[in-house]
Amino acid sequence: MVIDRKELKTAARLQIKGNVGTFFGLSIVFLIISGLSLPITVVGPLILQGPLELGLALFMIEVVRTQRGKFNTGFKGFKQFGSAFIALLLMKIFVFLWSLLFYIPGIIARLRYSMTYYIIADNPDISGGEAIGKSKEMMKGHKWELFVLLLSFFWWYVLCIITFGLASIYVSPYINAALVNYYEKLKSESIIENCQN
């Protein structure tokens, strides 16, 4: 299956209409939560990062599938706290170990595990380790493709830099929606392959 980047990005721009403000609000609240947890314990932000990232994944999946993301959806990641935390911990360990070989293996590892939170979002009973395994399987033959998709946002990244992050209010949900659309394509491809087998 050939992934059409233009199609993914066009869909993303349409899907985030009316959802940019909610995404921004969630991001600010999550930053505050992480910041407040830091004085309590140094590892506070690390403990919370997994559920918070899963919450954003759940929110963006809702945006893509229903065109309207709800603010409270962003906090549903805490319902799967265990799997989200373990997934984050394992990914950090694996990426760190691969990065020891050189920077490029670390990037490849990040791409390999990139679908983990979406998989957890769609499979509430899955463990963090299993989700990472499924992400690795899903990304076989697609890592370069995803890298090029992310690279296609280059000028948006530049805009974020020259506006001191202000443009990220729009750019961040835009990129995240494109990634969810990419996940949906990969998932449908996996379903077709499983049926053929």
Side-chain angles (χ1 to χ4, degrees), residues 1-174:
M1 181 184 293
V2 178
I3 304 295
D4 187 333
R5 291 193 304 275
K6 185 176 179 181
E7 177 187 326
L8 297 179
K9 295 166 79 172
T10 299
R13 286 195 297 271
L14 294 173
Q15 291 155 349
I16 64 172
K17 285 183 178 179
N19 293 291
V20 172
T22 309
F23 182 93
F24 178 67
L26 273 174
S27 299
I28 293 298
V29 170
F30 287 177
L31 280 173
I32 293 172
I33 291 173
S34 295
L36 291 175
S37 70
L38 188 57
I40 300 171
T41 169
V42 178
V43 296
L46 175 64
I47 293 172
L48 295 175
Q49 187 182 348
L52 292 177
E53 288 192 18
L54 175 58
L56 282 179
L58 285 160
F59 174 79
M60 289 311 304
I61 286 174
E62 189 172 68
V63 167
V64 167
R65 292 178 182 173
T66 70
Q67 314 302 310
R68 180 63 60 185
K70 299 173 185 174
F71 187 81
N72 65 318
T73 299
F75 297 91
K76 291 182 178 178
F78 286 96
K79 291 183 177 179
Q80 295 159 267
F81 181 92
S83 55
F85 172 69
I86 294 300
L88 173 78
L89 192 61
L90 291 175
M91 283 190 286
K92 282 189 176 294
I93 292 171
F94 294 155
V95 170
F96 171 74
L97 292 175
W98 279 109
S99 298
L100 291 177
L101 298 176
F102 198 58
Y103 194 67
I104 292 176
I107 294 175
I108 294 172
R110 287 180 184 275
L111 295 170
R112 187 182 297 129
Y113 310 139
S114 60
M115 300 295 117
T116 300
Y117 287 121
Y118 303 133
I119 292 168
I120 293 174
D122 272 341
N123 303 273
D125 298 323
I126 199 170
S127 71
E130 289 172 329
I132 288 174
K134 285 185 177 293
S135 179
K136 288 168 62 177
E137 187 68 29
M138 185 177 281
M139 288 304 296
K140 281 183 180 176
H142 294 286
K143 289 181 285 294
W144 175 252
E145 187 177 62
L146 177 56
F147 178 76
V148 173
L149 172 62
L150 292 170
L151 194 61
S152 71
F153 290 99
F154 175 79
W155 292 112
W156 287 106
Y157 303 140
V158 173
L159 181 62
C160 288
I161 293 170
I162 63 177
T163 60
F164 300 99
L166 190 62
S168 64
I169 294 172
Y170 175 82
V171 176
S172 189
Y174 174 33

Side-chain angles (χ1 to χ4, degrees), residues 175-195:
I175 294 174
N176 274 275
L179 288 174
V180 173
N181 283 315
Y182 183 70
Y183 164 71
E184 298 280 61
K185 292 284 186 182
L186 289 183
K187 190 175 69 169
S188 64
E189 180 182 277
S190 297
I191 291 171
I192 291 171
E193 286 178 353
N194 288 334
C195 288

